[in-house]
Amino acid sequence: KKSSQIIQREKIVTSIIHWHIISPTIITTTTMFSIASQVARRCATSPALASSAARHQLTLRAGFAQTVKEGLTATDAWSKSCYSEMDYTVNENLPVYEAVQKFAAYNVGCLVTTNDEGNISGVVSERDYVCKIALLSKTSKDTPIKEISTKSANLIVASPSETVSDCMAKMLLKDIRPLPLLDEDGGVVGIVSIKDLVKAELKEKQDAIKTLSDFALGKGGHFSAE
């Protein structure tokens, strides 16, 4: 049976979590520490909880440091993407039909195009096929990919170390779906879709909420039971 202290602390944390869920703020570790402070202050207003408020705040901060990552990166999203398990490149001199076959085989909507030297030359998407082949009554077997692809000079790209939030901002700003990941030398090391980024953001928020919930219940490896 829950003690009155646990029940009261659970109500406090639940109300704060709910406010952050419905607010547009993305829950990050910094935000978590702010919530921890709010929890401690509210707990301190209760005589029954005042003696343990500071201890719980310090415990919660330590738990966050180990449980919630400081901003997921593009690499985190890439590692869970279906793109990480396939060859997401296609030679730009091949016919569009080759790209279409890959779209269908792997259920993806974009591929990175490369030149004969293996360097990135752009991207080609299902949208390119629909707008530049199908609607113009061209044939995919007679049209080279480089005629419909977006060239590297016009590409919006990201580095593997950029945060998921920054990557999403780039996509929304430029109204694009795929985002190639390039290393410091300009070599392509991956590609992420908007779906990959959204899934990563949701996972991070779910982990953060679970950490707070564990704190509210006084359980978990970082939290002592009441």
Side-chain angles (χ1 to χ4, degrees):
K1 185 178 179 180
K2 296 180 182 178
S3 68
S4 59
Q5 290 185 2
I6 291 179
I7 293 174
Q8 187 170 352
R9 180 151 49 86
E10 184 176 332
K11 288 180 179 179
I12 291 172
V13 177
T14 300
S15 66
I16 295 175
I17 291 174
H18 177 71
W19 183 86
H20 279 278
I21 291 175
I22 63 176
S23 76
T25 305
I26 294 176
I27 297 182
T28 63
T29 303
T30 301
T31 308
M32 289 300 146
F33 287 171
S34 174
I35 294 176
S37 298
Q38 294 178 50
V39 172
R41 285 196 299 272
R42 293 195 188 186
C43 287
T45 63
S46 169
L49 300 178
S51 62
S52 62
R55 174 173 58 82
H56 282 308
Q57 182 182 0
L58 292 175
T59 303
L60 185 58
R61 286 173 177 264
F64 285 151
Q66 298 180 46
T67 306
V68 182
K69 290 184 178 181
E70 179 65 61
L72 290 178
T73 65
T75 299
D76 295 315
W78 155 251
S79 66
K80 298 293 191 298
S81 170
C82 63
Y83 281 110
S84 65
E85 300 176 353
M86 60 170 284
D87 178 9
Y88 51 84
T89 64
V90 62
N91 189 290
E92 64 179 358
N93 294 310
L94 292 174
V96 173
Y97 183 73
E98 295 293 330
V100 174
Q101 283 190 311
K102 263 195 173 182
F103 292 152
Y106 293 101
N107 193 29
V108 296
C110 181
L111 295 170
V112 173
T113 63
T114 57
N115 55 28
D116 291 334
E117 286 71 42
N119 299 319
I120 181 173
S121 60
V123 296
V124 62
S125 67
E126 289 179 323
R127 185 188 299 182
D128 292 325
Y129 169 74
V130 171
C131 296
K132 301 173 184 178
I133 297 293
L135 289 180
L136 298 180
S137 299
K138 292 185 177 181
T139 59
S140 61
K141 291 185 177 181
D142 297 327
T143 307
I145 292 173
K146 62 184 177 183
E147 285 192 13
I148 69 168
S149 62
T150 299
K151 302 303 183 288
S152 58
N154 300 317
L155 277 184
I156 304 299
V157 300
S159 70
S161 60
E162 286 190 54
T163 66
V164 167
S165 298
D166 288 341
C167 291
M168 291 180 73
K170 285 184 176 183
M171 286 185 168
L172 293 174
L173 181 63
K174 297 297 182 179
D175 190 26
I176 57 176
R177 293 186 178 90
L179 193 65
L181 305 179
L182 305 185
D183 59 22
E184 295 180 352
D185 298 323
V188 60
V189 294
I191 180 172
V192 291
S193 67
I194 186 65
K195 181 174 72 173
D196 298 327
L197 298 178
V198 170
K199 286 170 63 178
E201 281 283 12
L202 288 176
K203 179 65 167 58
E204 181 183 34
K205 183 168 290 189
Q206 288 169 353
D207 289 345
I209 291 173
K210 183 181 185 303
T211 300
L212 283 174
S213 298
D214 285 346
F215 169 73
L217 296 172
K219 66 180 183 180
H222 306 299
F223 312 104
S224 59
E226 293 281 350

